[in-house]
Amino acid sequence: MLEVVVILVALLVVAGIAGLIVLIRRVASCRRIIETPASEREAILGGDVLCRRSITSGSLAVLEFFDWGVRLRGHLVSRWIVPTWEARYSELAIAEQVTLPHSRIAVWLRLRDGQGGIGFFRLPTFDVLRLLEEHGVAVDRSVAQVRRVEELYRRSSAS
């Protein structure tokens, strides 16, 4: 009987580790790191992330504004489930408000080259949009309803 319990616990540990590895790899697929100059942060806003492989809840992400662009990342304890994503303001085609069924409104940051984007959940969204607009990013304040996150990536590549 003790051997069965030990085997079950070992299997649970292995399954948990495998699940964690899969989660970390999925989150890493949303990552976008660019070469950025050293500069002071102008603003920081707390919220959550919306990307192809990760949707968080519980204020696990921060959106940082610099003179060169934006960086979305996780807090110290949530960096493994929140991808780091960076873009220069000149690379952003538009910041648009989107919502999934039964979800909060996110600001979707769409890239000019059509190579995707990322979403940032924050209520209210007006401060995110205002800061982006101040840096010359086009803003769409209407709220687009999408069924799945994948639709946002198709819209980005179709642009």
Side-chain angles (χ1 to χ4, degrees):
M1 181 67 172
L2 182 59
E3 292 99 10
V4 173
V5 171
V6 169
I7 290 171
L8 286 175
V9 168
L11 286 174
L12 285 174
V13 168
V14 168
I17 291 170
L20 191 59
I21 290 169
V22 168
L23 175 66
I24 291 169
R25 284 189 177 167
R26 288 176 60 119
V27 168
S29 71
C30 295
R31 184 174 170 212
R32 182 177 195 269
I33 305 291
I34 60 173
E35 194 171 311
T36 60
S39 63
E40 293 287 320
R41 189 171 51 208
E42 295 176 353
I44 184 169
L45 302 172
D48 287 295
V49 69
L50 167 69
C51 72
R52 181 177 275 139
R53 306 279 189 227
S54 179
I55 299 174
T56 65
S57 183
S59 295
L60 299 175
V62 293
L63 182 61
E64 300 171 311
F65 292 81
F66 298 89
D67 59 354
W68 52 265
V70 294
R71 176 184 297 131
L72 191 141
R73 64 174 178 80
H75 296 290
L76 183 61
V77 296
S78 63
R79 288 198 179 151
W80 60 278
I81 58 170
V82 175
T84 298
W85 192 91
E86 300 170 332
R88 289 177 188 79
Y89 295 117
S90 62
E91 294 176 299
L92 295 173
I94 193 167
E96 52 193 333
Q97 296 186 109
V98 298
T99 186
L100 296 164
H102 315 291
S103 182
R104 302 167 285 164
I105 295 172
V107 174
W108 184 255
L109 303 172
R110 187 167 13 134
L111 294 170
R112 286 188 189 282
D113 64 7
Q115 296 301 309
I118 200 159
F120 181 66
F121 287 116
R122 177 177 173 89
L123 288 176
T125 59
F126 65 81
D127 48 354
V128 178
L129 298 174
R130 179 184 51 79
L131 286 165
L132 289 165
E133 210 167 33
E134 286 174 6
H135 286 94
V137 177
V139 168
D140 182 356
R141 287 184 168 74
S142 63
V143 180
Q145 174 84 38
V146 294
R147 286 188 243 219
R148 297 178 28 226
V149 176
E150 191 59 39
E151 291 177 34
L152 295 167
Y153 287 92
R154 282 196 299 267
R155 286 172 54 186
S156 292
S157 61
S159 303

